[in-house]
Amino acid sequence: MQTFDLAADGLRALNSSLHAQSEDTNQTVWDIINPKGSHAIAVGLDAPIEVNVKGSTGYYCAGMNQQATVHIHGSAGPGVAENMMSGTVIVEGDASQYAGATGNGGLLVIKGNASSRCGISMKGIDIVVHGNIGHMSAFMAQSGNLVVCGDAGDALGDSIYEARLFVRGSTKSLGADCIEKEMRPEHIEILKDLLARAGSDAKPEEFKRYGSARTLYNFNIDNAY
């Protein structure tokens, strides 16, 4: 195990060391101590390594992640796991705005609550939030799955494309072109797998599914001004 003191050695040295890891590295587990809310921790990783951040982080932790598992033992600032491609990012606490934004793949798990715009423009990422999410979450979400074990704020799924949204609690309001949809057996299976991978004991049958009504896909003269 490698232990890196961020307060002593700095962010540039940390990310350079992590970027130097490759598929066949033997430095597979990294503990980062004294993060103290620093920004851009463990961004752009592309190796099958495990990174444990022992505290809370600032902006864009684990952005553009590939292959790696990044475990934040605290809360995360805006843009955690932004544009991630693969791998796993776990936040033990809460996440600020636009968690998982534009994510193309991988799994983001937030054990606490997520703020506004969670999963905005998601493009294939799977996001599981154990708590609640804020307004405008999954705005223009294109593909992937957003699972919310608590409640969802205003305008959920506004202008959504083909992402699947699963909410266990209440939804304050739905955004434009987002509607409740039938929970079919295949959706129960998808949800069961995601909940198990995210360490949640919630039952898939307790969730509602939301998605696109597909009325915004084509031009309608009645919507023109």
Side-chain angles (χ1 to χ4, degrees):
M1 179 185 295
Q2 313 298 307
T3 300
F4 192 99
D5 188 339
L6 189 56
D9 299 315
L11 182 65
R12 184 181 296 274
L14 169 66
N15 285 337
S16 294
S17 297
L18 296 176
H19 292 168
Q21 307 310 308
S22 60
E23 292 276 354
D24 57 354
T25 182
N26 59 4
Q27 297 180 331
T28 56
V29 181
W30 293 72
D31 277 1
I32 302 172
I33 61 174
N34 295 319
K36 297 182 178 179
S38 295
H39 306 316
I41 295 173
V43 296
L45 305 188
D46 190 9
I49 59 176
E50 178 183 340
V51 178
N52 297 294
V53 183
K54 302 293 187 175
S56 296
T57 67
Y59 283 78
Y60 299 119
C61 181
M64 301 179 290
N65 187 61
Q66 295 188 83
Q67 302 190 68
T69 296
V70 180
H71 198 151
I72 301 168
H73 296 267
S75 293
V80 63
E82 181 265 347
N83 201 35
M84 75 180 286
M85 307 298 288
S86 63
T88 303
V89 177
I90 303 167
V91 182
E92 288 291 335
D94 298 324
S96 190
Q97 303 175 80
Y98 42 91
T102 71
N104 285 262
L107 174 65
L108 169 61
V109 180
I110 299 167
K111 297 289 187 70
N113 302 308
S115 186
S116 60
R117 299 175 177 82
C118 179
I120 183 173
S121 194
M122 52 192 283
K123 299 177 174 69
I125 189 175
D126 292 320
I127 303 174
V128 181
V129 181
H130 287 219
N132 307 319
I133 60 172
H135 65 271
M136 291 294 290
S137 289
F139 172 61
M140 293 187 69
Q142 294 167 41
S143 63
N145 299 285
L146 171 60
V147 179
V148 184
C149 298
D151 302 327
D154 272 319
L156 175 70
D158 190 88
S159 304
I160 189 172
Y161 288 83
E162 292 303 308
R164 290 180 289 258
L165 314 180
F166 301 96
V167 181
R168 185 186 186 194
S170 64
T171 299
K172 193 167 184 181
S173 69
L174 298 177
D177 210 40
C178 185
I179 59 172
E180 184 177 347
K181 294 194 163 187
E182 177 189 6
M183 279 284 279
R184 298 194 297 270
E186 62 265 32
H187 303 123
I188 295 291
E189 290 304 310
I190 290 170
L191 194 47
K192 184 185 297 183
D193 174 66
L194 287 170
L195 290 168
R197 290 166 59 200
S200 171
D201 59 3
K203 296 178 175 57
E205 296 78 10
E206 298 172 341
F207 288 76
K208 293 180 179 179
R209 180 171 74 98
Y210 301 93
S212 176
R214 303 189 176 100
T215 60
L216 297 181
Y217 278 24
N218 300 292
F219 176 74
N220 186 335
I221 189 63
D222 293 334
N223 295 329
Y225 293 96

PDB file of all heavy atoms in Angstrom, residues 26 64 67 78 91 109 118 132 137 142 150 152-153 158 163 165 176 185 199 209:
ATOM      1  N   ASN A  26       2.320  -2.861  -9.655  1.00  0.00           N
ATOM      2  CA  ASN A  26       2.192  -3.569  -8.379  1.00  0.00           C
ATOM      3  C   ASN A  26       1.861  -2.606  -7.240  1.00  0.00           C
ATOM      4  O   ASN A  26       1.730  -3.012  -6.093  1.00  0.00           O
ATOM      5  CB  ASN A  26       3.458  -4.368  -8.055  1.00  0.00           C
ATOM      6  CG  ASN A  26       4.702  -3.491  -7.966  1.00  0.00           C
ATOM      7  OD1 ASN A  26       4.608  -2.269  -8.068  1.00  0.00           O
ATOM      8  ND2 ASN A  26       5.858  -4.130  -7.789  1.00  0.00           N
ATOM      9  N   MET A  64     -13.059  12.139 -15.055  1.00  0.00           N
ATOM     10  CA  MET A  64     -12.499  11.428 -16.217  1.00  0.00           C
ATOM     11  C   MET A  64     -11.913  10.065 -15.836  1.00  0.00           C
ATOM     12  O   MET A  64     -10.981   9.573 -16.482  1.00  0.00           O
ATOM     13  CB  MET A  64     -11.443  12.284 -16.928  1.00  0.00           C
ATOM     14  CG  MET A  64     -11.974  13.602 -17.433  1.00  0.00           C
ATOM     15  SD  MET A  64     -10.729  14.632 -18.241  1.00  0.00           S
ATOM     16  CE  MET A  64      -9.716  15.098 -16.830  1.00  0.00           C
ATOM     17  N   GLN A  67     -11.129   2.787 -15.222  1.00  0.00           N
ATOM     18  CA  GLN A  67     -10.636   1.556 -14.591  1.00  0.00           C
ATOM     19  C   GLN A  67     -10.512   1.628 -13.065  1.00  0.00           C
ATOM     20  O   GLN A  67     -10.782   0.656 -12.375  1.00  0.00           O
ATOM     21  CB  GLN A  67      -9.276   1.136 -15.152  1.00  0.00           C
ATOM     22  CG  GLN A  67      -9.234   0.893 -16.640  1.00  0.00           C
ATOM     23  CD  GLN A  67      -7.941   0.246 -17.060  1.00  0.00           C
ATOM     24  OE1 GLN A  67      -7.673  -0.912 -16.720  1.00  0.00           O
ATOM     25  NE2 GLN A  67      -7.111   0.991 -17.774  1.00  0.00           N
ATOM     26  N   PRO A  78     -18.373  19.937  -5.887  1.00  0.00           N
ATOM     27  CA  PRO A  78     -19.026  19.875  -7.196  1.00  0.00           C
ATOM     28  C   PRO A  78     -18.256  19.034  -8.212  1.00  0.00           C
ATOM     29  O   PRO A  78     -17.023  19.013  -8.238  1.00  0.00           O
ATOM     30  CB  PRO A  78     -19.066  21.344  -7.631  1.00  0.00           C
ATOM     31  CG  PRO A  78     -19.065  22.117  -6.346  1.00  0.00           C
ATOM     32  CD  PRO A  78     -18.180  21.332  -5.428  1.00  0.00           C
ATOM     33  N   VAL A  91     -18.652   7.693  -2.716  1.00  0.00           N
ATOM     34  CA  VAL A  91     -18.605   8.824  -1.787  1.00  0.00           C
ATOM     35  C   VAL A  91     -19.343   8.410  -0.521  1.00  0.00           C
ATOM     36  O   VAL A  91     -20.543   8.143  -0.558  1.00  0.00           O
ATOM     37  CB  VAL A  91     -19.261  10.079  -2.389  1.00  0.00           C
ATOM     38  CG1 VAL A  91     -19.153  11.249  -1.412  1.00  0.00           C
ATOM     39  CG2 VAL A  91     -18.632  10.430  -3.732  1.00  0.00           C
ATOM     40  N   VAL A 109     -21.369   5.826  -6.695  1.00  0.00           N
ATOM     41  CA  VAL A 109     -22.209   5.548  -5.524  1.00  0.00           C
ATOM     42  C   VAL A 109     -22.052   6.688  -4.531  1.00  0.00           C
ATOM     43  O   VAL A 109     -20.927   7.012  -4.132  1.00  0.00           O
ATOM     44  CB  VAL A 109     -21.824   4.212  -4.849  1.00  0.00           C
ATOM     45  CG1 VAL A 109     -22.706   3.958  -3.634  1.00  0.00           C
ATOM     46  CG2 VAL A 109     -21.933   3.057  -5.834  1.00  0.00           C
ATOM     47  N   CYS A 118     -27.637  16.409 -10.331  1.00  0.00           N
ATOM     48  CA  CYS A 118     -26.968  15.109 -10.284  1.00  0.00           C
ATOM     49  C   CYS A 118     -27.220  14.373 -11.598  1.00  0.00           C
ATOM     50  O   CYS A 118     -28.350  14.278 -12.068  1.00  0.00           O
ATOM     51  CB  CYS A 118     -27.506  14.298  -9.112  1.00  0.00           C
ATOM     52  SG  CYS A 118     -26.783  12.655  -8.937  1.00  0.00           S
ATOM     53  N   ASN A 132     -31.136  11.606  -0.881  1.00  0.00           N
ATOM     54  CA  ASN A 132     -31.958  12.423  -1.765  1.00  0.00           C
ATOM     55  C   ASN A 132     -31.107  13.110  -2.828  1.00  0.00           C
ATOM     56  O   ASN A 132     -29.884  13.215  -2.693  1.00  0.00           O
ATOM     57  CB  ASN A 132     -32.688  13.502  -0.951  1.00  0.00           C
ATOM     58  CG  ASN A 132     -33.463  12.915   0.215  1.00  0.00           C
ATOM     59  OD1 ASN A 132     -34.095  11.865   0.090  1.00  0.00           O
ATOM     60  ND2 ASN A 132     -33.417  13.593   1.366  1.00  0.00           N
ATOM     61  N   SER A 137     -31.992  17.336 -11.603  1.00  0.00           N
ATOM     62  CA  SER A 137     -31.141  16.158 -11.760  1.00  0.00           C
ATOM     63  C   SER A 137     -31.520  15.411 -13.039  1.00  0.00           C
ATOM     64  O   SER A 137     -32.690  15.408 -13.456  1.00  0.00           O
ATOM     65  CB  SER A 137     -31.264  15.242 -10.554  1.00  0.00           C
ATOM     66  OG  SER A 137     -30.655  15.824  -9.424  1.00  0.00           O
ATOM     67  N   GLN A 142     -28.858  11.266 -21.310  1.00  0.00           N
ATOM     68  CA  GLN A 142     -28.952  10.575 -22.599  1.00  0.00           C
ATOM     69  C   GLN A 142     -29.037   9.057 -22.463  1.00  0.00           C
ATOM     70  O   GLN A 142     -29.835   8.411 -23.141  1.00  0.00           O
ATOM     71  CB  GLN A 142     -27.782  10.996 -23.474  1.00  0.00           C
ATOM     72  CG  GLN A 142     -27.871  12.475 -23.832  1.00  0.00           C
ATOM     73  CD  GLN A 142     -26.594  13.018 -24.424  1.00  0.00           C
ATOM     74  OE1 GLN A 142     -25.943  12.372 -25.227  1.00  0.00           O
ATOM     75  NE2 GLN A 142     -26.212  14.220 -24.024  1.00  0.00           N
ATOM     76  N   GLY A 150     -33.846   7.848  -1.922  1.00  0.00           N
ATOM     77  CA  GLY A 150     -34.641   8.810  -1.174  1.00  0.00           C
ATOM     78  C   GLY A 150     -35.580   9.559  -2.091  1.00  0.00           C
ATOM     79  O   GLY A 150     -36.252   8.970  -2.941  1.00  0.00           O
ATOM     80  N   ALA A 152     -36.539  12.974  -4.782  1.00  0.00           N
ATOM     81  CA  ALA A 152     -35.972  13.779  -5.862  1.00  0.00           C
ATOM     82  C   ALA A 152     -36.584  15.173  -5.848  1.00  0.00           C
ATOM     83  O   ALA A 152     -37.774  15.334  -5.553  1.00  0.00           O
ATOM     84  CB  ALA A 152     -36.227  13.113  -7.211  1.00  0.00           C
ATOM     85  N   GLY A 153     -35.792  16.186  -6.184  1.00  0.00           N
ATOM     86  CA  GLY A 153     -36.250  17.571  -6.191  1.00  0.00           C
ATOM     87  C   GLY A 153     -36.999  17.938  -7.459  1.00  0.00           C
ATOM     88  O   GLY A 153     -37.407  17.074  -8.244  1.00  0.00           O
ATOM     89  N   ASP A 158     -35.557  16.726 -16.748  1.00  0.00           N
ATOM     90  CA  ASP A 158     -35.969  17.725 -17.741  1.00  0.00           C
ATOM     91  C   ASP A 158     -35.250  17.489 -19.070  1.00  0.00           C
ATOM     92  O   ASP A 158     -34.034  17.315 -19.107  1.00  0.00           O
ATOM     93  CB  ASP A 158     -35.653  19.128 -17.219  1.00  0.00           C
ATOM     94  CG  ASP A 158     -36.259  20.214 -18.081  1.00  0.00           C
ATOM     95  OD1 ASP A 158     -37.412  20.586 -17.825  1.00  0.00           O
ATOM     96  OD2 ASP A 158     -35.570  20.672 -19.016  1.00  0.00           O
ATOM     97  N   ALA A 163     -32.114   7.841 -20.847  1.00  0.00           N
ATOM     98  CA  ALA A 163     -31.672   7.346 -19.535  1.00  0.00           C
ATOM     99  C   ALA A 163     -32.869   6.836 -18.748  1.00  0.00           C
ATOM    100  O   ALA A 163     -34.006   7.256 -18.976  1.00  0.00           O
ATOM    101  CB  ALA A 163     -30.970   8.461 -18.763  1.00  0.00           C
ATOM    102  N   LEU A 165     -34.538   6.480 -14.961  1.00  0.00           N
ATOM    103  CA  LEU A 165     -34.501   7.067 -13.629  1.00  0.00           C
ATOM    104  C   LEU A 165     -35.378   6.236 -12.696  1.00  0.00           C
ATOM    105  O   LEU A 165     -36.534   5.965 -13.017  1.00  0.00           O
ATOM    106  CB  LEU A 165     -35.014   8.515 -13.662  1.00  0.00           C
ATOM    107  CG  LEU A 165     -34.482   9.418 -14.780  1.00  0.00           C
ATOM    108  CD1 LEU A 165     -35.089  10.806 -14.672  1.00  0.00           C
ATOM    109  CD2 LEU A 165     -32.956   9.482 -14.755  1.00  0.00           C
ATOM    110  N   ALA A 176     -39.608  18.866 -18.233  1.00  0.00           N
ATOM    111  CA  ALA A 176     -40.223  18.769 -19.554  1.00  0.00           C
ATOM    112  C   ALA A 176     -39.937  17.418 -20.191  1.00  0.00           C
ATOM    113  O   ALA A 176     -38.798  16.956 -20.234  1.00  0.00           O
ATOM    114  CB  ALA A 176     -39.702  19.887 -20.454  1.00  0.00           C
ATOM    115  N   PRO A 185     -40.306  -6.436 -15.701  1.00  0.00           N
ATOM    116  CA  PRO A 185     -39.343  -7.358 -15.065  1.00  0.00           C
ATOM    117  C   PRO A 185     -37.889  -7.045 -15.381  1.00  0.00           C
ATOM    118  O   PRO A 185     -37.008  -7.187 -14.519  1.00  0.00           O
ATOM    119  CB  PRO A 185     -39.759  -8.727 -15.619  1.00  0.00           C
ATOM    120  CG  PRO A 185     -41.218  -8.583 -15.886  1.00  0.00           C
ATOM    121  CD  PRO A 185     -41.402  -7.167 -16.351  1.00  0.00           C
ATOM    122  N   GLY A 199     -24.320  -1.512  -2.558  1.00  0.00           N
ATOM    123  CA  GLY A 199     -24.408  -1.805  -1.128  1.00  0.00           C
ATOM    124  C   GLY A 199     -25.671  -1.299  -0.470  1.00  0.00           C
ATOM    125  O   GLY A 199     -25.688  -0.989   0.721  1.00  0.00           O
ATOM    126  N   ARG A 209     -40.286   4.152 -11.933  1.00  0.00           N
ATOM    127  CA  ARG A 209     -39.384   4.434 -13.051  1.00  0.00           C
ATOM    128  C   ARG A 209     -39.885   5.643 -13.835  1.00  0.00           C
ATOM    129  O   ARG A 209     -41.085   5.794 -14.075  1.00  0.00           O
ATOM    130  CB  ARG A 209     -39.289   3.226 -13.993  1.00  0.00           C
ATOM    131  CG  ARG A 209     -38.367   3.452 -15.194  1.00  0.00           C
ATOM    132  CD  ARG A 209     -38.144   2.171 -15.972  1.00  0.00           C
ATOM    133  NE  ARG A 209     -39.291   1.779 -16.761  1.00  0.00           N
ATOM    134  CZ  ARG A 209     -39.448   2.015 -18.064  1.00  0.00           C
ATOM    135  NH1 ARG A 209     -38.505   2.678 -18.727  1.00  0.00           N
ATOM    136  NH2 ARG A 209     -40.512   1.598 -18.706  1.00  0.00           N
TER     137      ARG A 209
END
